[in-house]
Amino acid sequence: MIEIINRQKRHWINKEKFHSFMKKLIERFELDDPEVNLTFVDDQEIHKLNQQYRNTDSPTDVLSFSMNEKGPDNKFYLGDIVISVPQAYKQSKGKKHSLEKELNLLTIHGFLHLLGYEHFKGIEKEEKRIMDLLKDEINGN
């Protein structure tokens, strides 16, 4: 089951469109009906999460919380993606494309993290390259 949650009020989010987009990602990676949440928040909420889970005292654009396990109900729980819409808006202006495109890119980025792709220091550059290629492929670039 895919759940789209909008906890910010500044920018309108087309939840049905993001539901379809998440469904495409799930199909692309041949996942069998996982439980996954995509939540849109403001800077204050993502700042708190970033502080709590990454010990970083600032807002960020996207956080992923991977579970990748079957629950006691026998459902497969992939995890949660949390996106700061204000951060996405700032980034979209800097990159000179739409907020929707930036939110799609951040959704893909978060989804890839749920699947285990990483880009931290010390991790092979190849994984970042694969992540970037997959973003382009799924986003139709």
Side-chain angles (χ1 to χ4, degrees):
M1 182 177 90
I2 302 165
E3 188 168 359
I4 310 297
I5 303 161
N6 184 16
R7 291 191 182 147
Q8 59 83 47
K9 297 188 184 338
R10 189 165 195 178
H11 298 275
W12 184 77
I13 300 293
N14 184 335
K15 289 166 69 169
E16 291 80 23
K17 210 171 198 179
F18 278 97
H19 188 276
S20 295
F21 189 66
M22 289 291 290
K23 196 170 181 175
K24 254 198 247 183
L25 287 170
I26 289 166
E27 289 169 1
R28 164 61 178 84
F29 288 96
E30 300 176 357
L31 302 175
D32 188 24
D33 194 30
E35 299 283 323
V36 61
N37 296 321
L38 174 60
T39 305
F40 297 99
V41 299
D42 58 22
D43 275 348
Q44 184 178 357
E45 188 168 349
I46 207 152
H47 186 153
K48 286 179 191 173
L49 292 169
N50 208 21
Q51 176 86 41
Q52 182 177 357
Y53 293 101
R54 296 183 63 231
N55 202 28
T56 303
D57 190 19
S58 63
T60 188
D61 53 1
V62 61
L63 292 171
S64 297
F65 300 95
S66 180
M67 291 185 71
N68 267 319
E69 61 186 40
K70 277 200 174 187
D73 55 3
N74 215 27
K75 291 182 182 177
F76 177 67
Y77 289 87
L78 186 58
D80 298 322
I81 302 167
V82 182
I83 296 175
S84 167
V85 179
Q87 290 295 314
Y89 181 75
K90 288 177 202 168
Q91 291 171 192
S92 72
K93 294 300 174 200
K95 295 175 184 175
K96 295 182 171 57
H97 59 230
S98 70
L99 173 59
E100 183 178 351
K101 180 173 181 174
E102 187 66 19
L103 291 172
N104 283 344
L105 289 169
L106 291 172
T107 299
I108 293 167
H109 186 89
F111 192 85
L112 290 172
H113 278 302
L114 293 182
L115 296 177
Y117 289 89
E118 299 294 342
H119 55 81
F120 300 112
K121 287 182 183 176
I123 300 295
E124 306 268 339
K125 288 181 182 178
E126 186 66 15
E127 283 187 331
K128 184 174 182 334
R129 188 183 75 75
I130 291 169
M131 184 181 287
D132 290 341
L133 287 172
L134 288 171
K135 277 192 224 178
D136 289 344
E137 176 187 323
I138 293 166
N139 214 33
N141 293 334

